[in-house]
Each structure stands twice: as C-alpha cells, then as structure tokens.
Amino acid sequence: MHNTLQPVLVLLAAAVLVVVIFRTLKLPPLLGYLIVGVAIGPHALGWINSTDAVRGLAEIGVVFLMFSIGLEFSLSRLMTMRRIVFGLGAAQVIATMLLVVGAAAALDLPWQAGVALGGALAMSSTAILAKLLAERFELNSPHGRQIIGILLFQDLAVVPLLILIPALAAPADQFAGMLGLALAKAVIVLAVLLFLGQRLMRAWFHVVARQKSSELFVLNVLLVTLGIAYITEMAGLSLALGAFVAGVLISETEYRYQVEEDIKPFRDVLLGLFFVTIGMLLNIAEVVENAWVSVLLVTLVLAKTALIFGLSRVFGAATGVALRTGLALGACGEFGFVILAHAAGSQLIDDDVLQPVLAAMVLSMLIAPFVIERSEAIVRRWSASEWMSRAMQLHNIAVQSMSADQHVLICGYGRSGQNLARFLEQEKVPFIALDNDPERIREAAAAGERVVFGDAARREVLLAAGLARARVVIVTYADTPSALRILEQVHEARPGLPVVVRTIDDSDVEKLRNAGAAEVVADLMEASLMLASSTLMLVGVPLTRVLRRIRETREHRYDLFRGFFRGMSDSSESDDQALQPRLHSVPVSAGARAIGKRLGELDLASEGVEITAIRRRNVRTVTPSPDMCIEEGDIVVLLGTESGVAAAEIRLLQG
C-alpha cells in the first residue's frame, strides 16, 4: 500500500501546486499537468516512475475523455456540419497523415511509424481550443464553426486509429488478417451495443432516475461507462472505444446534461493524471541537447497552419476565417498523446524518434494560447477583407437600431438582460440589446428578440446601436473592467447620458460611480436587503418601518452593509445551473413528429416545460393556445430546466 500510495501523493501534490499557478496566470491547466510530468518524472527530478497504479488511473482518464466526446456526439449536429466535418475535417486529417508518411519515408522510417506519427500530429487540442473559443465567445463565429467541425472529425478519427495501431505493429504477413479481425470485432461489438443499447439505455436510466438519488445516479454512470469499456476490451478492442460508445448511447437520452455534470470531476482529475504520465515520457535533457526539436516545432506548426489555411480556402472560407482556423489548429492536441502512447506501447516508434516528436507536441501546446491571443492582430495585418467584415457587422447593428429612438440600450443579454427586456416589453419601452455570445443571439433572434451581435465595450458598436438617440444605457453583466470601458465610451460620445451598472458586491461601487455611473446595483447587497426585509417582517416589525429601513439603507449607498463578515460559504455559493430554468429555441424541421399535433396533445408540461412562444413565418405568437397546431418551419420557444428542455426537444422532433 505504501509503495502504491506514495507516487500518487507526490503526483497530486505537484499537480495541485502547478495548476494553482497556471490558473492564476489564466493558462490552461492541461499544460500545467504536462509540466508536472516532465518535472517529477524519471528523466528529471526522478521523484516517481511510471507505476502501474499511475498508469491505471491515467488510462481511466482517457476513458472518461472519450466518454465525454461520445456524450457530445450528435447525428443531427454532424449532418448540420457535414461539409465541414466530413469534408474539411477529413481532408485535414488525411492530408496531414500523407505528408507525415512522406516525410517518414524520406527519413528512412517504416511506413507504419509514419502512419502512427501522422495520426498523432494531425490532432489538435479540443480541450484548449473549446475553452479559449468559449471565453472569447467565438464558438459560433465562422472560424469557430470550422475549428469545431475539424476538431469533431479529429475526435472521431481517433476511434479507427486506435483500432489500426495494434494491427500496424503485427508482422507484415499478418497485418491484413489482424486488421480485418479487428474491424470485424469492432463492427460486431458496436452493432450489438448500439442496437441493444438504444433500446435499453433510456429505460434503464428512467428506472435509476425515479429513485431520486444523486449518489445512485453517479454510480450508474460509472457502471455504464466502465462496463461498456470493459466489454470492448474483452473483445480485443480498446477501453477508449467502449467509453465513446457509452457516451453516444447516453447522448440520445434526456439525461445527457446531468450525466455530463456528474462525470466532469472524475474526467478532469483522471485526465490530468494522464497528461502527467505523458509528461513523464519526456526526457528534457535529450530535448535540450537535440537541436532538431526546435526545427521540428517550427516546421510542425507552420506546415500544419499553412495546410489548414489552404484547405479552408479550397472549401470556400474567406481569407480571415481560413487564417484564424489555421492558427488555432496549428498546435497538437491531447488525442495525439493517446495515439502516441499506444504507438510507443506497440513498439511502432523508437525512443530516439519519440522524444523529439513528443517534445515538439508539448511545446506546440504550450505556445497555442499565446498564438490564439495574437491571432486577431495577425489576421488584421495579413487579411484586408477583415476590415470589410467589421464594417458589415456594424452595418447589421445600425440596420437593427435605425428605427429606434429614445430607446434603452442594453449591454449584455444574459439572464439579467433578458428579464429587463421583458419588463421593457410589458411597458412598451423600445430597446436594443447587444451581446457577444453568438449562440445566445442565435437562440434569441430565432425567437424574435431584438438582440444583435456586438461588443458593447467598443465605441463604434455603441454608436451603431444608436447611442446618440438612446435614453439610458444599462450594463447588465457584472464585469467591472468592461463596465469602465463602456462608461468611458458613453461619456465621451454622450456626456450626461445616464448609465446603470451591475456589479457582484459593493467593492467596486465607488470606482464605478467615480467613472460616471448614474447608479450601481450590487447583487449581494440587494440580496442582503431582501433577506433583512423578510426577516424583520417575520419577527413582527411593521411593513412601513421595514420599507423605511430599506429605503434609508439605499439612500446611504449601502453604508450599513459594507463591512460584512466573510464566511467559508461566501466563496462557494453558486446556483445549480442544471436546475435553473432556461429558454431554448427548437426549429421544427421536415419529418418532425410534432408536425400537425396540437400543443395540448404534446403534454410538455409533464416534463416541466412551458412553450412561451411560437415564431411562424417571422410572426411571433406569445403564449400560444393549447389548440394551436405545430407546422413545419415553426420555431418553438421552450422554458424549463436543462433535462426537461432536452426531453421536450426529443418529444417534439422524435416523438
């Protein structure tokens, strides 16, 4: 027990320290795990070697990563993005592998090693890129869709590559037989799992969910994930393939959101251990002494960027979109390490080749966030069409706001912005909302909301949204630096225009007031006032006195509440996102089961979901009647929890 526990404790202690540092520096923790592995591995400090216990935990980390990819897998999503996924994505992976096989042949390496290296180098980091794109609100931008589409094919390509690599390691005369056997096993096992799984998975999860036990639900997720992974391993395939299939099966049920939240802690921790074990493979002394690592790194990133840029242009993307896509995907990714680890374990790649390739892959991931951070400046420098694109964005905002006069300009269309918009609609007060989350705008615009894409902290965006004619500006999101930039832009263009700003607590009230905010609303302060008013009334204080106390407190700018005592719960308080109501727009496409049915017949209320509006031929019907029939092309706006909305969407489209 001592020999097993010691390396795990050393690993965890080092990982915690480095991840804290990387989060403080706003860098992906994944890179921190790699550095931990390099530092404490046998080739550096030598604190631990790659023990069976560590390798076992790391392999389970890969299982949960593949499970998450399967959970995100959606046939409808693939069909929507099929040209990007199966066109551009497939072209990128195949072209990269062919180039690497050619380079391997020129260096007198076996073609089997070239295939394995090509598969590894073709991958990019889904974990890093998805996080960075989400933070920059670019997931649904033109280049964001291309990046996600290519990443989706890369993730799918891992499955056949994991089947192919063991066959590549077989003797030449047995290669065809082993590959055929592996493919036959894969087809049989996957057919049985998918055919039976589709019938059994939803029914079984219904049984478990009815017990209303979160502990049982998590245990069931672990059982299904590891159980199906074990079945595929027993069939001579990989654990990762089984985990992917498990994710696909659960993605077809309404429990996918809850499952994703439940497995996230296991996935992130165990996946971190996998990256630590990858870092332990790297011999830093050889890297420092080997000048070819730098050459390989530069060649890899530039060649991959140029290849993806060229392919993206061939598939019709604008220069700026293609260049952003290439810059983002030029680095390597986590699945490259999975493929490389399998290839090294199968003795396909010699250590003198593995070390420089591994080093170049790690270094490419280390520089990836910095490349993406600078990508905007690079694109503007090399792509003249970008200026035209920005002009078009401002034109679209101006068209939306052209008829607005004496309107409210809402900066941010999250929960607070949407609630404010509903109050303004009820009072028939005109407004224009700005938001830089494309997915939110797509959903809201589909439901007929007056919201446009734009960064409210930019002067030209505010002017295009009718700042010169606005009655008031409201900053609905709690981001003090962004609010300060908005205040600066507003008071330069319209001195005296009132601006109301939201903040989390009262720590930035003075700063925002000094910057010119007409009013600052602090979330925690207003919650404290409501708690105080409810408590006073319950203990018998007259309502008039309670209202007077609350009014006096607000008039004194929260002075009475400023010095509150912080407790342990202050840093951990957060609402349960999965239980919060959310709006979701569902387009009713051809073939949907709900077409021709009355709203009352659908009985979505049994899922805890309400239909708040239906948009038909650009006409929005609010609170439609139960007798209204669904037609093809309708956009149905649902309100409910994540799981309820998912179940309702399945009922609308699939019956």
Side-chain angles (χ1 to χ4, degrees):
M1 181 65 181
H2 172 74
N3 292 333
T4 302
L5 188 58
Q6 182 179 359
V8 175
L9 287 175
V10 171
L11 189 152
L12 290 174
V16 168
L17 177 62
V18 173
V19 170
V20 166
I21 295 172
F22 269 65
R23 284 199 176 277
T24 304
L25 297 175
K26 299 188 183 303
L27 293 173
L30 178 150
L31 303 179
Y33 288 122
L34 289 170
I35 291 176
V36 167
V38 173
I40 67 177
H43 302 297
L45 297 175
W47 287 353
I48 62 172
N49 292 309
S50 185
T51 65
D52 291 338
V54 174
R55 281 198 300 269
L57 289 172
E59 190 168 10
I60 294 177
V62 177
V63 165
F64 279 102
L65 176 62
M66 289 298 292
F67 176 75
S68 299
I69 297 300
L71 206 59
E72 292 295 324
F73 182 88
S74 167
L75 190 58
S76 60
R77 185 185 182 193
L78 280 181
M79 290 300 101
T80 302
M81 304 176 66
R82 58 185 177 274
R83 187 170 183 273
I84 298 176
V85 176
F86 297 109
L88 181 56
Q92 182 266 323
V93 172
I94 293 170
T96 304
M97 292 181 68
L98 289 175
L99 285 175
V100 175
V101 169
L107 296 172
D108 293 328
L109 293 175
W111 68 269
Q112 294 93 334
V115 171
L117 288 172
L121 296 177
M123 299 296 131
S124 302
S125 177
T126 303
I128 292 177
L129 292 176
K131 180 177 184 295
L132 290 175
L133 288 173
E135 288 177 350
R136 295 162 65 91
F137 301 108
E138 295 176 355
L139 280 172
N140 284 284
S141 62
H143 66 278
R145 285 177 59 82
Q146 283 207 344
I147 292 168
I148 294 300
I150 293 173
L151 288 172
L152 190 56
F153 185 85
Q154 290 178 359
D155 294 344
L156 294 175
V158 173
V159 175
L161 284 170
L162 292 178
I163 296 172
L164 178 64
I165 284 175
L168 290 174
D173 57 340
Q174 300 177 21
F175 170 71
M178 288 196 64
L179 181 59
L181 180 61
L183 291 175
K185 286 181 179 179
V187 170
I188 294 170
V189 172
L190 294 180
V192 171
L193 287 175
L194 292 173
F195 179 74
L196 294 177
Q198 293 286 2
R199 295 167 176 249
L200 297 176
M201 192 63 68
R202 181 173 292 159
W204 174 244
F205 266 83
H206 278 317
V207 172
V208 173
R210 278 200 296 267
Q211 309 308 312
K212 297 182 179 180
S213 168
S214 57
E215 178 184 2
L216 178 61
F217 194 86
V218 173
L219 285 173
N220 183 58
V221 172
L222 295 175
L223 173 65
V224 169
T225 306
L226 298 177
I228 295 179
Y230 179 73
I231 291 172
T232 56
E233 187 185 41
M234 292 295 291
L237 303 170
S238 67
L239 287 169
L241 177 60
F244 175 79
V245 173
V248 171
L249 293 176
I250 295 176
S251 73
E252 295 299 319
T253 73
E254 57 268 37
Y255 301 104
R256 63 183 185 268
Y257 295 116
Q258 184 62 44
V259 169
E260 187 174 11
E261 287 299 313
D262 287 339
I263 63 102
K264 189 180 293 183
F266 301 100
R267 181 197 65 194
D268 293 346
V269 171
L270 295 172
L271 188 59
L273 296 182
F274 167 73
F275 286 116
V276 171
T277 60
I278 292 297
M280 289 167 62
L281 296 175
L282 186 62
N283 189 335
I284 198 69
E286 286 190 20
V287 171
V288 173
E289 295 170 3
N290 193 341
W292 284 105
V293 172
S294 300
V295 176
L296 182 58
L297 172 65
V298 174
T299 304
L300 167 65
V301 173
L302 291 181
K304 199 172 172 184
T305 299
L307 174 66
I308 295 171
F309 169 77
L311 290 172
S312 186
R313 290 287 290 152
V314 168
F315 276 80
T319 304
V321 172
L323 188 52
R324 283 191 183 91
T325 304
L327 289 168
L329 295 167
C332 294
E334 55 271 10
F335 280 122
F337 295 125
V338 175
I339 295 169
L340 208 61
H342 275 68
S346 301
Q347 306 299 316
L348 276 177
I349 304 174
D350 294 333
D351 193 60
D352 57 347
V353 176
L354 177 67
Q355 286 300 321
V357 171
L358 184 62
M361 290 173 64
V362 172
L363 292 173
S364 73
M365 291 181 70
L366 286 172
I367 66 173
F370 304 103
V371 172
I372 293 173
E373 192 67 32
R374 296 294 302 163
S375 63
E376 195 68 26
I378 296 171
V379 171
R380 288 186 191 178
R381 180 178 179 84
W382 294 100
S383 175
S385 63
E386 276 303 296
W387 297 105
M388 183 63 70
S389 175
R390 288 196 174 275
M392 286 298 296
Q393 182 191 100
L394 296 177
H395 171 74
N396 292 335
I397 298 173
V399 168
Q400 290 284 338
S401 65
M402 192 175 295
S403 60
D405 188 37
Q406 294 297 297
H407 59 287
V408 177
L409 185 51
I410 302 175
C411 302
Y413 205 63
R415 289 183 186 176
S416 299
Q418 291 173 43
N419 287 331
L420 172 61
R422 291 188 181 92
F423 279 109
L424 295 175
E425 277 185 338
Q426 290 172 356
E427 297 298 327
K428 294 183 171 52
V429 176
F431 68 89
I432 293 289
L434 293 169
D435 200 281
N436 57 1
D437 184 338
E439 180 64 22
R440 181 181 296 150
I441 290 170
R442 184 187 66 79
E443 294 253 355
E449 306 284 351
R450 296 199 66 186
V451 56
V452 290
F453 180 83
D455 183 357
R458 289 172 47 206
R459 178 186 176 90
E460 61 268 28
V461 170
L462 289 170
L463 292 174
L467 179 65
R469 306 183 302 277
R471 185 186 302 180
V472 63
V473 175
I474 313 294
V475 182
T476 66
Y477 54 89
D479 183 344
T480 298
S482 179
L484 291 172
R485 289 196 297 273
I486 293 173
L487 287 166
E488 180 183 358
Q489 303 297 345
V490 169
H491 289 299
E492 281 184 6
R494 284 280 308 274
L497 181 68
V499 180
V500 179
V501 179
R502 175 186 163 210
T503 185
I504 294 295
D505 54 34
D506 61 340
S507 58
D508 291 328
V509 169
E510 289 299 327
K511 186 188 298 184
L512 292 165
R513 282 193 178 279
N514 292 337
E519 188 59 78
V520 181
V521 179
D523 292 356
L524 294 183
M525 200 55 54
E526 289 301 320
S528 299
L529 290 173
M530 292 307 297
L531 283 172
S533 62
S534 298
T535 303
L536 290 174
M537 285 190 291
L538 288 172
V539 298
V541 178
L543 176 61
T544 54
R545 193 186 305 172
V546 171
L547 294 176
R548 185 174 71 251
R549 295 289 188 197
I550 299 301
R551 185 178 67 251
E552 289 173 353
T553 301
R554 289 194 173 116
E555 288 173 354
H556 284 87
R557 293 166 55 188
Y558 309 109
D559 283 343
L560 291 177
F561 284 76
R562 227 170 242 170
F564 74 97
F565 295 100
R566 183 175 295 275
M568 292 179 63
S569 62
D570 291 325
S571 60
S572 61
E573 287 182 356
S574 62
D575 53 36
D576 187 350
Q577 297 294 331
L579 298 178
Q580 295 300 312
R582 63 189 290 262
L583 286 171
H584 179 55
S585 299
V586 180
V588 180
S589 54
R593 294 292 182 86
I595 294 175
K597 292 184 178 181
R598 293 184 177 88
L599 299 185
E601 295 174 10
L602 297 174
D603 191 27
L604 299 186
S606 64
E607 303 290 352
V609 174
E610 176 187 355
I611 297 179
T612 63
I614 290 181
R615 190 180 182 195
R616 179 176 295 167
R617 292 182 284 276
N618 291 325
V619 177
R620 187 176 182 221
T621 303
V622 182
T623 60
S625 68
D627 293 328
M628 186 174 183
C629 290
I630 298 289
E631 295 181 7
E632 180 181 341
D634 285 353
I635 295 175
V636 181
V637 184
L638 305 176
L639 174 65
T641 61
E642 284 186 345
S643 59
V645 165
E649 183 175 2
I650 290 172
R651 187 174 295 186
L652 281 170
L653 302 181
Q654 301 176 17

